Amino acid sequence: MIRPLAITVALAATPAAAEFVIEEGTFFVMHRDYHHKTNSFTDRAPEGEGDGCFQITRVDLPGKSIDFTLVSGTITPWWSDGETFHPGFQNAFVPAIGFMENNPDAAWTDLLHEILKTVPDCAPPAS
């Protein structure tokens, strides 16, 4: 069954929209930003997160959690109060409250498919 949101997201996606594969070992970067107040996307990584390249380390879709590690680059996400994270930093994706409230019929991973892009690998840090 195709959900109405999936159709809307597919129609709103740009031709350059990239695929995001959810499986252990996948490398990815952030390539779009989501704004929960307007329920819209911007075609660039969130401020402070464009230099990071990550790898999925564990997938638990029924448990609604995807663990990942920063492999290269540094990030200073909006929620970190100015703290910069370096390779080795670990975190997890869980359902985003704002996205789920705005899109109650969406799967919790739909947001990830919109804002993340799978890449072949992460470049090693520059020395």
Side-chain angles (χ1 to χ4, degrees):
M1 178 174 134
I2 298 177
R3 296 183 175 154
L5 175 66
I7 293 171
T8 302
V9 169
L11 293 174
T14 63
E19 182 178 338
F20 175 59
V21 177
I22 299 176
E23 62 184 40
E24 289 181 21
T26 295
F27 293 101
F28 67 91
V29 295
M30 297 197 174
H31 78 114
R32 297 180 83 200
D33 194 6
Y34 174 70
H35 305 279
H36 73 277
K37 290 183 180 178
T38 60
N39 197 30
S40 64
F41 296 91
T42 303
D43 287 330
R44 69 182 184 303
E47 184 175 337
E49 298 182 56
D51 293 333
C53 186
F54 308 85
Q55 185 175 31
I56 295 175
T57 56
R58 187 180 69 85
V59 176
D60 180 3
L61 295 180
K64 297 185 177 180
S65 177
I66 299 172
D67 296 349
F68 61 91
T69 299
L70 178 61
V71 174
S72 66
T74 59
I75 61 168
T76 308
W78 63 269
W79 48 263
S80 72
D81 293 326
E83 184 177 355
T84 297
F85 299 104
H86 301 275
F89 168 73
Q90 298 176 342
N91 205 346
F93 290 117
V94 296
I97 295 169
F99 179 78
M100 297 309 299
E101 287 175 349
N102 290 335
N103 305 282
D105 293 329
W108 79 273
T109 56
D110 287 352
L111 177 62
L112 302 179
H113 286 287
E114 286 296 318
I115 64 172
L116 306 176
K117 174 175 71 171
T118 296
V119 295
D121 59 23
C122 292
S127 52

